[in-house]
Every structure is written in C-alpha cells, then in structure tokens.
Amino acid sequence: CGSGTIIAEAQKAGIKAIGIDNNPIAITISNAKVMAAEVFDRNHIEELIENAEQLPIKKVQQMPDWPRKHFHPETALQIMRLKHFYNEMNDFEQGAFFGAIALSARGCNHYKWSSNQIGTIHEPLRQIDFFAKFRDKIRKNEPHLMSGPSAIVHHHDTRKLSQIVPVNSVDVVYTSPPYFDALDYTSYYTKFVYEIMDEHDRLEIKKGLIQSFSRYEEDMKQVMIEVRNVLKPGGKAIFVVGDKKTKDGVINGGEFFSNLIDWEPDYVKQRGYTGSSSQIWDAINKTDRKEQIIVWTKA
C-alpha cells in the first residue's frame, strides 16, 4: 500500500480497506492518512511542542551524523526535541512529524532540492522553524481526516499475503508494485527518517523489500499468486506498472506482468506521464516512458 493513498481513497468512498506493506515508514504514513478524525486533538499538538521547547538540553538526544550535516543546527535541535515525545504521538501526529522532517530538509537547503530527490548541501544552511513545519503539516492534512472506522493497515510481506488475509475474501486488489528498477523505497527523504528514528535499521528493512532486480521476477510471481488466492471468485486485481529502459531497449510493464503467471488479463491500458513530475524528468533525460494499467478477474 506504500504511503496509503489508495486505502485512504477507499475509506473516503466507504469501502472496507486493508493495506499491506513491509516498510515500517510506509505503515506509519498510511496509518496517519486513515486515522479517524475523532482522535484528532489540536490541543495535544501544542502540548507536544510546548513540552519539546521546555525539554532540558541534557535530555535531548544528538541527531546522528549523516542527517545532522543536512540541517541547520537550530532546526536539528528542534527535530530531536520533538522526537523525544514521538511515542506520545498518535498515528496522525507521527506521520506529520515524518513529513515535517522532509520539508525542513528541503528548507534548510534553500528549497533547491526537488520534492522527491535529495541534492547537494547548500551552505550556509538556512534555519527553518521545525515546530512551524510540524504545525503546517497538521493544518494541511487535518481536513482530510475522516469520521468512522479506519482502514486496517498491516506491517507484513505481500509475498505471504494469505497468512493474514483469508483466501477468497477480497473483492478488489489495487496496487502499484515496485517498477523494474527495483526502486529503493528507503532512500531519498525517508532516509532522513530512518537515520533519525534510530529504532529503524534502514539497511535491514531494505533487505525485506522487493528491491533486488535479480529476484524481481521470482518475487512478483509469488505476489501475483497470493493476490489471486485472496481474491473472491469474480474479484478484480488492478496493477499500475511502468516501462523500464535497458541497454537493449524498453521492457513493457504491461507485457511483463501479463506473462508472469498463467492468468490472462482482461485488458491492459497504456498512458503517458502527461501532467506529472515524471514528465519533467522525461524531458531532461530525453525519454518517453509509459505506464500501464492491467486488470485481471479471478475465474
């Protein structure tokens, strides 16, 4: 489920939704998006910040070396002050905390990094009020919280999906699996979060994700078998995939996934990246990537 956009949209539409991911940061962000609005308490936000501001300096943990060099010292201090109270935050507050770290990293580097790529360090680092960024994240996303029961999010491996989702129980599986470049979901801005949240060993987590190109085909076969197992007869699987450019040409994602196992898709629809940030990268790199939507029905 990645960062939980799909399950949040399902919840918004009144659909009972289950999210699965083997990345603990993805789980935190997903839980933030689907937390019930009734749990939100703005007074608790201000209480957290007030406690962080008053925390004696001797109790503040030092930020690890790698992330610290990317932040202004005052911003880094604020981050670590608020991190001290991380376990007192609810799901929504924890997600906002992670988001504010990413925003502040960009801000300290004069916003010269892209929204999804870390660049070089820009000296002198700019001081960013981390507490203000935290409040901004809360304020921006609070209106999207929904009333009623939340979606269920599991920290689990999709290659073993039927261990936690009963066979023949799901109407629709909708996902965007990692593309063939085995995209590193522990890098870029989440790398700051892993390094700062010292209970998460980034390299160990990475080993458990589908990010090894040498095993990609084998792993995704297992995922598709599990997806088919948990679907009800007549249920739909919908995958959004993409092309991969190689030295020998382009691997078409629709063709790759259509032929992984003995399961004929209903159809494959291809589209370009018009209107997205990927369109900019295509222009820079002189590429013309496509993505495909593949739909299967369980017989």
Side-chain angles (χ1 to χ4, degrees), residues 116-159:
N116 55 10
Q117 291 277 4
I118 297 172
T120 57
I121 297 172
H122 291 273
E123 300 281 5
L125 290 165
R126 178 178 177 181
Q127 183 178 351
I128 296 295
D129 185 342
F130 180 74
F131 298 145
K133 291 296 181 188
F134 181 61
R135 287 188 180 99
D136 287 346
K137 269 291 179 183
I138 296 288
R139 192 178 303 113
K140 179 181 177 181
N141 292 290
E142 177 193 352
H144 300 292
L145 291 174
M146 292 164 275
S147 296
S150 299
I152 300 168
V153 183
H154 293 284
H155 183 192
H156 196 73
D157 192 330
T158 315
R159 289 164 288 195

Side-chain angles (χ1 to χ4, degrees), residues 176-245:
S176 179
Y179 290 6
F180 317 119
D181 51 3
L183 182 64
D184 185 355
Y185 286 101
T186 69
S187 63
Y188 309 126
Y189 288 99
T190 56
K191 188 175 179 182
F192 288 114
V193 175
Y194 286 112
E195 296 284 339
I196 291 168
M197 305 303 296
D198 44 17
E199 69 265 30
H200 292 316
D201 186 328
R202 186 177 77 88
L203 297 180
E204 281 301 311
I205 290 164
K206 184 177 177 179
K207 290 177 185 176
L209 305 181
I210 300 176
Q211 293 178 184
S212 168
F213 185 64
S214 63
R215 286 182 45 88
Y216 190 81
E217 186 171 349
E218 180 184 341
D219 284 335
M220 291 313 303
K221 280 182 181 178
Q222 188 59 41
V223 168
M224 290 191 66
I225 290 168
E226 287 288 271
V227 163
R228 186 166 59 182
N229 284 342
V230 302
L231 281 171
K232 296 176 182 176
K236 302 282 186 183
I238 305 168
F239 279 29
V240 181
V241 300
D243 285 346
K244 175 175 175 59
K245 188 176 182 180

Side-chain angles (χ1 to χ4, degrees), residues 37-156:
E38 290 82 358
V39 181
F40 179 75
D41 180 2
R42 181 168 291 282
N43 291 330
H44 189 241
I45 310 297
E46 296 307 318
E47 182 182 315
L48 286 169
I49 293 173
E50 182 178 347
N51 290 341
E53 289 175 327
Q54 295 176 359
L55 185 69
I57 193 70
K58 63 182 179 182
K59 290 189 177 183
V60 181
Q61 180 186 6
Q62 187 175 24
M63 184 179 285
D65 292 343
W66 182 82
R68 188 170 74 246
K69 65 185 181 182
H70 295 81
F71 291 97
H72 186 281
E74 290 299 321
T75 306
L77 179 60
Q78 285 184 315
I79 291 171
M80 299 311 291
R81 282 181 176 278
L82 195 55
K83 187 216 168 190
H84 185 85
F85 300 95
Y86 178 80
N87 290 330
E88 297 178 20
M89 299 179 190
N90 60 37
D91 292 334
F92 181 61
E93 292 161 351
Q94 289 178 353
F97 178 67
F98 289 174
I101 289 173
L103 280 175
S104 297
R106 286 188 71 200
C108 287
N109 287 274
H110 303 265
Y111 298 99
K112 292 186 178 180
W113 298 349
S114 74
S115 60
N116 55 10
Q117 291 277 4
I118 297 172
T120 57
I121 297 172
H122 291 273
E123 300 281 5
L125 290 165
R126 178 178 177 181
Q127 183 178 351
I128 296 295
D129 185 342
F130 180 74
F131 298 145
K133 291 296 181 188
F134 181 61
R135 287 188 180 99
D136 287 346
K137 269 291 179 183
I138 296 288
R139 192 178 303 113
K140 179 181 177 181
N141 292 290
E142 177 193 352
H144 300 292
L145 291 174
M146 292 164 275
S147 296
S150 299
I152 300 168
V153 183
H154 293 284
H155 183 192
H156 196 73

Side-chain angles (χ1 to χ4, degrees), residues 242-257:
D243 285 346
K244 175 175 175 59
K245 188 176 182 180
T246 70
K247 59 183 176 58
D248 299 318
V250 175
I251 300 174
N252 180 277
E255 294 175 3
F256 178 88
F257 281 92

